[in-house]
Amino acid sequence: MSELRVLPVEGIPEVRDGDAIGEQIAERTELKNGDVVVISQKIVSKAEGQVRKLSEVEPSERACELAEKLGKEAGLVELVLSQSREILRTERVLITETHHGFVCANAGIDASNLPDDGTVCLLPEDPDASARRIRKELTATAEEPGARATGPSPPLSAGAHPRLPPAVVIADSFGRAWRLGQSEVAIGCAGLRPLDDWRGRADAGGRELSATAIAIADQVAAAADLVRSKDEGVPAAVVRGLGRYV
């Protein structure tokens, strides 16, 4: 069993449309071989222009009906409908399946940690593509002349490639059926094996496992959330010690 460390990336300014998140992270932390960089969905969406003003949204008749039933703003409901392929529940809260295939409340749209009142943030259009782009930014910044030195890398974990850039996970908070509270899950990743499939392997007692597939990307997202303060402007973290999955 290897040691696992989770390190906050501090000092990232308010992200605006068009910002290169990978560059900002690479400039503020020392990345080593086998690291996994976990990033809040919110700053990815901000950088990709996925923030909307509710006052500029024209709600449909269906949105107005649901808004009255649920006590929500009609503009918000219209955005939820536009981001959903199917509405699964309209009692107390809107549960939808998004165009990505995520099942969550309000199609993942929320208004927290936004600088302007009356605005909401949508999910990235393609979170995996976002993660791949950020991974390239991390690599390009690390290779620039004068870039922050990483110092000597620790010994490679089993299976880690000596020249691979850090993996990237984009994380968001989801509720869980029949459970109180929210937990972070991965909605996009690049350079990381998201599942560790143990089917066909033996457990500690020698019995063959038939269903176990460990959700590595989701567990990395949840671990990072323990140091990514939601009210102190720390939207990214580095998880170190999982190089065998990178």
Side-chain angles (χ1 to χ4, degrees), residues 14-15 40-46 50-52 54 73 76 105-106 108-123 171-174 182 184 225 228-233 235:
E14 177 65 32
V15 172
S40 163
Q41 161 270 321
K42 187 63 59 65
I43 66 168
V44 176
S45 293
K46 289 178 181 178
Q50 290 291 86
V51 177
R52 302 287 186 271
L54 291 179
E73 292 188 56
L76 171 60
N106 298 319
I109 298 173
D110 73 76
S112 64
N113 291 312
L114 294 175
D116 300 321
D117 292 335
T119 60
V120 295
C121 195
L122 315 184
L123 295 180
D172 195 12
S173 300
F174 276 33
Q182 295 80 39
E184 292 287 304
D225 192 49
R228 283 197 310 105
S229 174
K230 295 181 183 299
D231 61 355
E232 295 182 0

Side-chain angles (χ1 to χ4, degrees), residues 137-188:
E137 293 171 356
L138 287 167
T139 306
T141 304
E143 292 175 350
E144 290 177 358
R148 186 172 181 180
T150 62
S153 294
L156 295 180
S157 302
H161 192 285
R163 291 181 297 277
L164 282 180
V168 171
V169 169
I170 298 174
D172 195 12
S173 300
F174 276 33
R176 289 120 359 116
W178 313 117
R179 301 281 291 184
L180 295 176
Q182 295 80 39
S183 180
E184 292 287 304
V185 300
I187 65 169

Side-chain angles (χ1 to χ4, degrees), residues 85-96:
R85 67 166 64 145
E86 185 177 359
I87 306 299
L88 302 177
R89 172 177 166 175
T90 61
E91 297 297 328
R92 292 186 295 128
V93 64
L94 272 174
I95 303 295
T96 78

Side-chain angles (χ1 to χ4, degrees), residues 5 10 36 80 82 108 113-114 143-144 147 221:
R5 299 183 65 196
E10 299 177 315
V36 182
V80 171
S82 73
N113 291 312
L114 294 175
E143 292 175 350
E144 290 177 358

Side-chain angles (χ1 to χ4, degrees), residues 187-232:
I187 65 169
C189 70
L192 182 76
R193 179 150 49 96
L195 294 173
D196 190 9
D197 192 348
W198 281 59
R199 290 173 298 178
R201 297 169 62 175
D203 67 8
R207 293 174 291 274
E208 183 176 328
L209 298 169
S210 60
T212 301
I214 301 171
I216 299 299
D218 286 339
Q219 292 189 346
V220 169
D225 192 49
L226 297 175
V227 303
R228 283 197 310 105
S229 174
K230 295 181 183 299
D231 61 355
E232 295 182 0

